[in-house]
Amino acid sequence: MNNTRNIILVGFMGTGKTTIGRALADQLKRDFIDMDIELEARAGKPIPRIFAEDGESVFRRMERDFIVELSRRNKLVIAAGGGIVLNPDNIRDFSATGHVICLKAAPDEILRRVSGSRHRPLLEQGDKAERIQNLLQQRQHFYDAIPCQVNTTGKTVREIVAEVRQLFHVGGARCAATVAARSAPPANPAP
Ligand code: S3P
């Protein structure tokens, strides 16, 4: 792959960003960045403690600053945190220098994948299945707005990585350009 643009995997928690990102980076011989792991290292504490002690807004600001930094680099495979879609500037900046691809999965598969996890503070309040359903509902339009999508439900890592790679071969320009165009402000905003 001569293309040096970053590859950024976005999507809801439990859609496979870390697993697929690591395998993809391995195949493409690129550096892999897991945003959550890096942010925890920078903060010197795990994400649930950042949320509890500093608040979600501080975490979102850390994510934002990190995305600005990552967007200036190239040849990376990046597993983004599930909430980065909440700020359209994040998708705009990632799309400027990379291919953004959204992984998705059925809610019951997401539940199965995150059921043992204790590091996702947004799923720790109340019933996990309900939280997933509510958050997915609130965020669906953000995820759906990303033109390049891969459904990971019921597929092996090998199959998903192959699908992601295929998408870049046939639709690389679409994964790069359309998101940026969509999140740019309209040329003539309505009064
Ligand atoms: C979050 C997703 C998590 C992590 C944080 C917030 C979210 O990342 O960044 O707990 O708002 O969806 P993963 O998607 O890697 O679990």
Side-chain angles (χ1 to χ4, degrees):
M1 191 183 187
N2 293 326
N3 186 342
T4 59
R5 295 173 74 89
N6 294 328
I7 297 171
I8 304 103
L9 301 179
V10 303
F12 196 75
M13 294 171 267
T15 51
K17 302 177 296 279
T18 298
T19 308
I20 301 305
R22 195 169 278 130
L24 185 65
D26 214 42
Q27 277 195 17
L28 299 176
K29 307 217 173 343
R30 286 184 171 209
D31 287 339
F32 173 62
I33 306 268
D34 185 297
M35 285 189 60
D36 288 344
I37 293 175
E38 184 64 31
L39 289 174
E40 288 186 328
R42 288 180 179 199
K45 52 187 165 186
I47 290 173
R49 271 187 57 206
I50 306 176
F51 271 64
E53 293 169 14
D54 309 307
E56 181 174 347
S57 60
V58 168
F59 178 74
R60 298 298 175 203
R61 169 48 53 189
M62 289 172 66
E63 275 188 325
R64 174 77 197 120
D65 292 345
F66 192 26
I67 287 167
V68 170
E69 197 183 309
L70 288 171
S71 301
R72 295 196 186 110
R73 297 174 58 186
N74 60 28
K75 282 191 88 175
L76 299 172
V77 174
I78 301 164
I84 68 123
V85 294
L86 298 171
N87 182 347
D89 292 349
N90 291 336
I91 300 295
R92 183 203 59 208
D93 289 350
F94 266 153
S95 308
T97 54
H99 300 291
V100 176
I101 188 154
C102 184
L103 301 186
K104 55 184 182 181
D108 51 349
E109 177 118 354
I110 290 175
L111 178 62
R112 196 178 55 71
R113 291 180 188 165
V114 303
S115 58
S117 130
R118 287 279 163 274
H119 65 276
R120 293 179 168 105
L122 295 178
L123 300 181
E124 292 307 313
Q125 309 141 12
D127 179 70
K128 261 202 175 94
E130 256 176 51
R131 283 295 290 157
I132 290 170
Q133 205 172 22
N134 291 341
L135 276 174
L136 265 176
Q137 215 164 29
Q138 286 166 29
R139 295 179 176 182
Q140 200 62 57
H141 61 290
F142 291 116
Y143 296 123
D144 287 349
I146 293 162
C148 284
Q149 306 259 340
V150 171
N151 191 344
T152 65
T153 307
K155 294 176 189 161
T156 64
V157 171
R158 211 185 156 94
E159 287 168 337
I160 301 162
V161 169
E163 228 177 283
V164 169
R165 291 191 66 171
Q166 172 69 7
L167 200 57
F168 286 118
H169 282 302
V170 297
R174 187 166 59 99
C175 301
T178 321
V179 180
R182 278 193 189 189
S183 48
N188 293 307

